[in-house]
Amino acid sequence: MRTCARWWGRGSPPLRLGIVLILIPPVLLALQLLVVAGPRLPRAARGGVEGQGQEGAVAFSVISIEPERNSLRVGTRSRRPGPEEEVEVEDGGRREGTRAFEDENEMHWHQVGSRALEVQPWAANQPSFTAELGRIITHITRPQLSCSRVLSPGQAQASQPPAASHHWLLCAEDWLLPAADRPCVAYSFSMDGRDADFLKTVLGLGCEVHSFDPSNSNTSNGHLGNSLASNHGDGGVVSQHKMWLEWRAPRKRKHKTRGNLSSVSQTLAHIMTALGHHTVHFLYADLLSAEWRVFQNWIESGTLQSVHHLVATVHLQWPGFEVGGSDEEVLRYWFSILQGLQASGLKLVHSSAGEGHSVLKRTVANAHSSYTLSWVNTRN
């Protein structure tokens, strides 16, 4: 033993170094086990939204605008995921992974600017067709602004609100109408010919009137500027345009000069730019179920700030162009659009129910298939 001890004490440095190196891995493994088995932060202290049950954590969904996809985008009210970011979907206990903002979807969100549609929470804190539809019908059938004087269809003289219901009404309070010595501009987007009374009314007000219909052959090659000259100063001409509303921002931003748009489909902002208009005082729109996506474009781009009076028909028979998801998701999306219009300054002054009782292909006794709504922008 004394011999061994002397040998160990006098051992060469390389031998002692080798023994130390052999002992290092077990020591590191023991330290790692202590860290893993140690105390963890409670779930409430960790960042992120773990589930819908946490107090103050609000998740929302946005309906996909791609026809072949019904995925949802989920996030918080103050943030949208980037184009290359993976997001999780959690709705009614269903989770799945999906990539957000692809192709045209991505182009749209990047080009409309920083303003995003705020998707509202569920009406009943969970998906419910009855609850979602109920708050929509309540919202679109209860006027938010009372007008002592109105313009009825086909009439250019203001009067007291009529006892009988009309298809639409324009609020004719003095502070909401353009001054007599100022230019007045009116647009109509319709393919069913139901805008005749609207055109008669705004012509009677002395407005510069433009009618848009992609199926109309009574135009000059469909170019916006070709009939503008005849509509200045003669006070009775409706400029016809073979043009329709687009809800996506164009992929390539080319400078548009006044009266020079060749595409048959343009956003409202680009149409106004081409016509040299900064304001549309009266706008009529029956877009045959494209209104939801068009409204979203107006909300996100801020175009609504340039529209003073809006008469539009909303269709409830089916989700609408490029809107997907379950019935409950579609209804929540529609309500979010309506709330976005209100947040942009629009107040409902009149509501008229259409024919039929079909909502998303379901027969609903206390709802109609369409409603024509008249709004006024109180921020102008």
Side-chain angles (χ1 to χ4, degrees):
M1 291 294 294
R2 287 195 301 269
T3 303
C4 292
R6 287 195 301 270
W7 176 81
W8 173 259
R10 296 194 302 268
S12 64
L15 180 59
R16 291 197 300 270
L17 178 61
I19 295 174
V20 171
L21 292 177
I22 293 174
L23 294 176
I24 288 177
V27 173
L28 292 178
L29 179 60
L31 291 174
Q32 184 177 4
L33 290 176
L34 287 174
V35 172
V36 172
R40 298 183 179 181
L41 289 175
R43 294 171 62 90
R46 283 179 283 174
V49 177
E50 293 289 338
Q52 297 178 352
Q54 285 191 6
E55 184 178 355
V58 179
F60 63 81
S61 304
V62 177
I63 304 300
S64 169
I65 64 171
E66 298 178 277
E68 301 299 326
R69 300 183 182 181
N70 291 333
S71 59
L72 305 178
R73 297 195 295 270
V74 176
T76 64
R77 292 184 183 274
S78 60
R79 179 179 179 270
R80 294 197 310 273
E84 300 298 330
E85 184 176 347
E86 294 289 341
V87 297
E88 277 192 330
V89 174
E90 183 171 358
D91 197 345
R94 176 168 52 89
R95 297 179 67 91
E96 62 185 22
T98 182
R99 181 170 294 276
F101 307 101
E102 298 175 344
D103 304 326
E104 293 178 353
N105 211 15
E106 178 179 343
M107 294 295 299
H108 170 75
W109 284 97
H110 278 294
Q111 294 185 4
V112 296
S114 59
R115 184 184 311 232
L117 175 69
E118 182 177 353
V119 179
Q120 301 298 309
W122 294 109
N125 298 322
Q126 61 183 354
S128 168
F129 182 89
T130 301
E132 296 300 325
L133 179 60
R135 69 174 175 177
I136 287 179
I137 299 303
T138 299
H139 186 90
I140 64 179
T141 56
R142 293 183 179 179
Q144 301 166 320
L145 182 66
S146 178
C147 301
S148 61
R149 296 178 64 79
V150 299
L151 290 169
S152 302
Q155 303 297 319
Q157 295 295 324
S159 63
Q160 293 183 347
S165 177
H166 284 275
H167 187 54
W168 53 265
L169 291 175
L170 297 177
C171 192
E173 303 288 357
D174 290 340
W175 62 280
L176 292 173
L177 295 179
D181 58 343
R182 301 295 296 275
C184 170
V185 176
Y187 288 180
S188 177
F189 297 87
S190 176
M191 288 193 295
D192 59 6
R194 300 185 68 180
D195 62 342
D197 285 339
F198 175 82
L199 296 176
K200 181 179 179 180
T201 296
V202 292
L203 282 173
L205 293 174
C207 294
E208 175 186 330
V209 183
H210 297 267
S211 176
F212 301 85
D213 182 351
S215 63
N216 194 338
S217 59
N218 187 26
T219 60
S220 302
N221 299 323
H223 291 282
L224 283 171
N226 290 346
S227 59
L228 284 179
S230 64
N231 201 38
H232 286 282
D234 55 15
V237 175
V238 178
S239 296
Q240 305 282 344
H241 308 287
K242 194 171 184 178
M243 177 74 58
W244 203 237
L245 279 173
E246 175 62 78
W247 54 82
R248 302 185 195 89
R251 289 179 178 274
K252 294 182 179 180
R253 291 184 176 273
K254 295 181 179 179
H255 179 66
K256 301 294 183 181
T257 59
R258 177 169 175 162
N260 182 26
L261 282 178
S262 58
S263 173
V264 75
S265 181
Q266 295 287 341
T267 63
L268 178 60
H270 283 80
I271 291 174
M272 292 175 63
T273 299
L275 290 172
H277 297 145
H278 299 288
T279 300
V280 177
H281 298 90
F282 303 97
L283 193 153
Y284 179 97
D286 190 347
L287 306 180
L288 307 177
S289 294
E291 64 272 5
W292 301 109
R293 296 292 291 116
V294 170
F295 288 166
Q296 183 178 350
N297 171 266
W298 293 355
I299 293 167
E300 295 177 328
S301 63
T303 311
L304 279 173
Q305 305 307 315
S306 302
V307 177
H308 289 193
H309 296 258
L310 174 63
V311 176
T313 300
V314 296
H315 299 83
L316 310 183
Q317 301 97 319
W318 69 294
F321 293 99
E322 294 197 2
V323 177
S326 68
D327 289 351
E328 293 78 12
E329 291 165 346
V330 170
L331 290 172
R332 182 170 65 159
Y333 170 74
W334 288 351
F335 182 72
S336 300
I337 294 294
L338 295 170
Q339 287 292 100
L341 295 177
Q342 180 175 320
S344 298
L346 295 188
K347 289 188 179 296
L348 186 67
V349 298
H350 183 71
S351 175
S352 174
E355 299 179 353
H357 295 273
S358 175
V359 177
L360 296 176
K361 301 181 180 180
R362 304 189 193 188
T363 300
V364 183
N366 61 343
H368 290 263
S369 302
S370 65
Y371 292 83
T372 298
L373 308 175
S374 304
W375 287 281
V376 63
N377 198 329
T378 57
R379 292 186 180 177
N380 297 313

